Structures are given as structure tokens and as C-alpha cells.
Amino acid sequence: METMTFPRYSPDDIITYLRSHILEGSEARNLVKGDLFGNPRLDILHLIYLRILQKVCGIRLEHAYMMPLNVDIMYPQIYEGFLPVCNLYIHMERLLPMCRISDFQIADVLNPKTKRTVRFLSGILNFVNFREFRREVYLELQLSYKLAMEKNQHLEAVNREAAQKLEKLNTVPVEHEAEIKQLTESIRELEQLLRQDYRRKQTALQEVTSQKKTDIAERTQKLNECKVSMATLKEEQEQLKSKIVESPEERKTYNEQMKETIKKLKRSKQEVTGKYERYRDVVELLPSCQVELQLYQKKMEIQGENVERLASVSSEARNLEDQLESAQVELKKANTDEMSLKRAVTAKHEKLATAEMQLKKMREDIEQHKCTVLEHFNKVQEKRGAVYDKVMAIRKEIKQKKDKIEQLKDDAEEKSTKAKEIHLILKAVLDKCHESLLKAVKTSAASRAEKIDEIREGLFSIQSSGSSS
């Protein structure tokens, strides 16, 4: 594990991440660097491991205090104090291999060391970051997949509706077959009548146009002849003017005749131009008639396609009738087979009824067994709840006692400091007393020596007086 695949975080980074992402409320506020590093506190380390398991694996707090039901234990109260540590170790041992850590031991829960806890926490934080990143990617993929599925379902529904509409349009209901036949006959009759009218109108228009064209050609020829005659008359008039000196009266009469002829020619010209314009309007109306005729032809083609569809539908209906006849024959055979199968089915139903009765009895027994097991489980849960309450109360008492012990330690430290001060004061007083006593001893020894000398002198004087006597 020395060549590991995750970065090792610093203690400050670990504490900031735990405060911001894993712990909440007072737990995050009260977390200090000394709680995990140096001399780590077991309760805080266990709490951090539990919060990580809750976030990553979805393990609840109750699971840490639950004893397995498949184990027979005489006195489970004895083991419940060790259960949280054991369950925590089991769940962490399952989680840490996913974090690329395989040397987790129970000593890391009971007696953790700073280097190993830093490595474990850095691996867990790396795994949590990777999990959050991949979770976002997975949620995006899931959302895109849901949108694609909804779109696919919508398109499938639209395709089904369109297919149903096509089937309805293509299929001819039985109720409307007679009406459709009548309509096809009437369509055919209308087609024939329209064709006949179209041919008549076309022939009549062709005749009229040919007649008008001939009339126009004749009248244009007449106009040309009149123009030529007018030109010749003008030339003759000019020649005659130069040759003959006419009388004014004859000239007036001649001029009046000429004016009348000119008026007649103008009238005839106007009549010819009017007729020409009428013929031209009639000729211009011909393309609009041709457009209408083309529309009629398109309608006739559509009606012909409808007739072909009706013919295909009628052929399909005949095929279906043949299939119905064959199906009826098969139905008769199937009815005979059905009667024999019904007899076999009745026998099987009787067997199934007996089997169902047996199954009902088995289910009732199983339900009774389930009820008894659930009652036993509820009782065990109630006992566990009571024990859990007791454990929590004991933990509260332990905390209170720990607080009292800390207070007593503080008081003892204060008293020890006071005692040290008193000891120093007493030591100084004793030193002074010793010095005074030494002085007193020296003075008493000196006085005693003086007194002894005096007594000795007195004794010598007495002795000397006695000897003299």
C-alpha cells in the first residue's frame, strides 16, 4: 500500500472537508485538530466513521447497535457494549477495499494511530469525491435516457395513431359498401356525361372558331380590296382634277358622294373591327375553357383511381369471404377438439382445487408462523430499545462522571499548586526556625559551658578550702 493510487491530504484539509461535507451543526463546530491527530479521541473518530458510512453506504445509527438474529446468545446484554465497535469495524472493513485500502484492522478502531488514520481518511475522502463526481455524471445520463425514452414513447404513440388512421382510411366498412357501389356507378355515369359534354363543346368550339377564322379572312380580303380601290380612286381623282375643270355644283355633289362612300367604308371598317375584337375575345376565352377541361380530366383520373381502389377492396373482400368459409370449417373441427379438451380441463380443475386447498392450509400455517416470528421480533426489539435506553442513560452518567472527574482533576491541580506554595512557605519558615534553633543551641551551649566552668571553679574553691582546713 506504499504505492497507493490516492493523494494523502494534510490534517487541515481533512478537518475542513469533514466540517463542510460530512459533519453538521455542533459536531462540525466543535471539531478540533487535536481530536483526530496527536492523541485521537475514540468517540469523535467513531462518530466520523459512522457519518461516512451513513453518507456513502446508507447505514443508519440503529445498525451499529443491532445484534444478528441468527445467533443464539445466552446473555446478549454482556455483548451489547462491544457491539458498536464490532459493527463499525465490520462496515468499515467492507467500505475501505473500495477506497484502495486493504490493511484495516480492529486496532485502528480501538487504538488508532495518527499516520494510519490520516491515510484512511485521505483514501475515504478521495473515494467520496470520486463518488460525487460519478454520481453527477450518472444523473445526467439518467436524465438524458429518460428524455429519450419519453420522446421514443411519444413517437411510437404518434406512429400508432397514424397507422390506425391509415387503416381506417384504407379499410371500407361493411355498412358503407352499398353506398360506395352507388357512388362508383354515379361517378362512372358522370364521367361518361362529362366526356360527352366535353366532346360536344370541343367540336362546337372548333366549328365556331373555324367559321370565324374564315369570316375574318374574307373580311380582311374585302378590306384590302376596298383599300386598293380607294387608292386607285384617289389616283384617278387626282388625274381627273388635273385634266377636267369641273363646275362647282358637280364638284360639290361628287364630293358629297365621295364623303358618303367614305362614311360607309368607315362604318363597315368599324363593324369589321368590332367583330374582329369579339372573335379575339372568344379566342382568348378558349385557354380558360381548356384549364377547366384539364381540371375535369384530373377529377376523372382521381375517380378512376378510386374505382381501382374499390375493385381491389372488393377482391380483398372476396378473399376474406373465402378465408371465413375455411375458418368456419376449422372452427367446427376446433369445437370438437374443444369438447375433448374441456373434459380434460374439468379433470385438471378438480386436481387444481384439491391442490389449492392444500396450498391454503400451507399459507395459513406460514402466516401463523410469520405472526409468531413477528411477535417474537417485536419483543426482541422492545427489549433492545429498553437496553438501548439503558445504554444511553449509562453513557450520559459516564459523561457526567467524566465531567466530574475533570472538575476534580482541575480542583486537585489547583489544590496541588496551593499545596506547593504552602510547602515552599513552610520550607522557608522551617529554614528560619532551624537557623534560630542553631543559634539558640549555640548560645545555650556557650552559656552551659560558662556555667560548667563556674561550677568547676566553685568546686575547686570548695575543695581547696576543705584541704586547708
Side-chain angles (χ1 to χ4, degrees):
M1 292 302 294
E2 292 299 326
T3 58
M4 57 189 175
T5 60
F6 54 85
R8 187 169 291 182
Y9 295 96
S10 64
D12 296 327
D13 294 333
I14 290 166
I15 285 164
T16 52
Y17 188 86
L18 291 172
R19 282 176 181 169
S20 59
H21 291 89
I22 290 167
L23 298 176
E24 293 177 356
S26 62
E27 294 175 356
R29 287 195 298 273
N30 296 324
L31 185 67
V32 188
K33 189 177 179 181
D35 295 335
L36 293 175
F37 307 107
N39 291 318
R41 292 175 61 183
L42 288 175
D43 54 350
I44 291 169
L45 187 64
H46 293 172
L47 190 139
I48 288 163
Y49 284 157
L50 278 171
R51 293 287 180 265
I52 289 163
L53 289 168
Q54 283 177 359
K55 186 174 181 180
V56 176
C57 302
I59 292 164
R60 292 182 291 178
L61 188 64
E62 298 88 23
H63 294 163
Y65 300 95
M66 290 177 74
M67 190 177 286
L69 291 168
N70 57 359
V71 179
D72 293 328
I73 296 168
M74 291 294 290
Y75 301 103
Q77 292 84 5
I78 297 167
Y79 296 91
E80 284 184 356
F82 184 67
L83 265 177
V85 178
C86 186
N87 286 325
L88 182 65
Y89 170 69
I90 289 162
H91 292 304
M92 289 297 291
E93 194 179 14
R94 291 174 185 170
L95 172 66
L96 288 170
M98 292 188 283
C99 304
R100 307 291 294 174
I101 296 165
S102 60
D103 59 344
F104 187 74
Q105 298 173 0
I106 198 163
D108 298 321
V109 178
L110 296 171
N111 188 14
K113 294 179 181 178
T114 54
K115 288 183 180 180
R116 290 176 70 82
T117 51
V118 167
R119 189 160 63 82
F120 296 153
L121 288 171
S122 58
I124 289 163
L125 296 183
N126 186 25
F127 177 72
V128 170
N129 288 323
F130 173 74
R131 177 177 170 271
E132 291 294 329
F133 176 70
R134 297 311 300 170
R135 186 167 170 271
E136 289 176 359
V137 174
Y138 175 73
L139 289 172
E140 288 177 358
L141 287 169
Q142 192 176 11
L143 197 144
S144 62
Y145 178 73
K146 280 183 180 178
L147 291 171
M149 287 295 290
E150 289 175 357
K151 193 173 182 181
N152 190 11
Q153 289 176 359
H154 178 68
L155 291 170
E156 285 179 355
V158 171
N159 284 325
R160 286 172 190 167
E161 289 177 358
Q164 288 176 359
K165 288 178 180 178
L166 285 169
E167 287 179 357
K168 286 180 181 179
L169 290 169
N170 291 323
T171 55
V172 179
V174 180
E175 297 174 354
H176 300 288
E177 283 182 355
E179 293 179 359
I180 288 163
K181 287 179 180 178
Q182 290 177 359
L183 288 168
T184 51
E185 290 176 357
S186 61
I187 286 161
R188 287 174 185 173
E189 290 176 356
L190 286 168
E191 284 177 355
Q192 290 176 359
L193 292 170
L194 287 168
R195 284 173 184 172
Q196 289 175 0
D197 292 330
Y198 174 71
R199 287 172 184 172
R200 288 173 187 172
K201 288 179 181 179
Q202 194 173 8
T203 52
L205 285 168
Q206 287 176 358
E207 289 175 356
V208 170
T209 50
S210 61
Q211 286 177 1
K212 287 180 179 180
K213 282 178 181 179
T214 53
D215 293 332
I216 288 162
E218 289 176 356
R219 287 180 182 180
T220 51
Q221 286 178 1
K222 287 179 180 180
L223 280 168
N224 291 323
E225 289 175 356
C226 290
K227 285 178 181 179
V228 171
S229 61
M230 284 287 290
T232 53
L233 287 169
K234 283 180 180 179
E235 289 175 356
E236 287 176 359
Q237 188 177 3
E238 287 176 356
Q239 289 175 4
L240 290 169
K241 279 181 182 179
S242 61
K243 289 179 181 179
I244 299 165
V245 178
E246 294 177 351
S247 63
E249 292 178 356
E250 289 178 356
R251 194 171 182 180
K252 284 180 182 179
T253 53
Y254 182 74
N255 286 324
E256 287 175 358
Q257 288 177 359
M258 291 298 289
K259 285 178 181 179
E260 286 177 358
T261 53
I262 288 162
K263 286 178 181 178
K264 287 179 182 178
L265 289 169
K266 283 181 179 179
R267 286 174 187 172
S268 63
K269 187 178 180 181
Q270 286 176 359
E271 288 176 358
V272 169
T273 53
K275 288 180 181 180
Y276 178 74
E277 287 175 355
R278 288 173 190 169
Y279 291 138
R280 189 177 64 190
D281 294 331
V282 171
V283 170
E284 286 177 355
L285 286 170
L286 281 170
S288 63
C289 295
Q290 287 178 355
V291 170
E292 290 178 358
L293 290 168
Q294 287 176 359
L295 290 170
Y296 282 121
Q297 283 178 354
K298 286 180 181 178
K299 287 180 180 179
M300 294 291 286
E301 288 175 357
I302 291 161
Q303 287 172 358
E305 289 176 357
N306 291 323
V307 170
E308 288 176 356
R309 282 184 183 176
L310 285 169
S312 64
V313 168
S314 61
S315 64
E316 286 177 0
R318 288 172 187 172
N319 292 323
L320 289 169
E321 286 176 356
D322 297 330
Q323 289 177 3
L324 281 169
E325 289 177 357
S326 62
Q328 285 176 358
V329 174
E330 289 178 356
L331 274 170
K332 287 179 182 179
K333 291 180 182 178
N335 287 322
T336 55
D337 294 331
E338 190 178 356
M339 292 298 287
S340 62
L341 288 169
K342 279 181 180 179
R343 291 171 185 173
V345 167
T346 50
K348 286 182 180 179
H349 278 301
E350 290 174 356
K351 290 180 182 179
L352 284 169
T354 54
E356 283 177 357
M357 292 292 287
Q358 292 175 359
L359 283 169
K360 282 180 182 178
K361 288 179 182 179
M362 292 286 285
R363 284 173 185 170
E364 288 174 356
D365 295 332
I366 289 161
E367 286 177 356
Q368 289 177 358
H369 184 65
K370 281 182 181 178
C371 292
T372 53
V373 170
L374 286 168
E375 288 175 357
H376 182 67
F377 181 74
N378 291 324
K379 288 177 182 178
V380 171
Q381 287 290 335
E382 288 174 358
K383 288 180 181 178
R384 283 184 179 177
V387 171
Y388 178 71
D389 295 332
K390 287 179 182 177
V391 168
M392 294 301 288
I394 290 161
R395 283 189 175 181
K396 286 180 182 177
E397 290 177 358
I398 289 162
K399 284 182 181 178
Q400 290 174 0
K401 287 178 181 179
K402 282 181 180 179
D403 296 330
K404 287 180 182 178
I405 289 161
E406 287 177 356
Q407 289 178 359
L408 290 169
K409 282 180 181 178
D410 295 331
D411 295 333
E413 286 177 357
E414 290 177 358
K415 287 178 181 178
S416 64
T417 53
K418 287 179 181 179
K420 284 177 182 177
E421 291 174 356
I422 292 161
H423 178 69
L424 293 169
I425 293 162
L426 290 169
K427 194 175 182 182
V429 171
L430 284 168
D431 290 333
K432 288 179 181 178
C433 289
H434 282 299
E435 287 176 357
S436 63
L437 284 168
L438 286 169
K439 288 178 181 179
V441 167
K442 286 178 182 179
T443 53
S444 64
S447 64
R448 188 181 284 177
E450 289 176 356
K451 285 180 179 179
I452 289 164
D453 292 332
E454 288 176 358
I455 291 163
R456 281 178 181 176
E457 287 175 357
L459 287 171
F460 279 123
S461 65
I462 291 164
Q463 285 177 359
S464 67
S465 64
S467 65
S468 66
S469 58

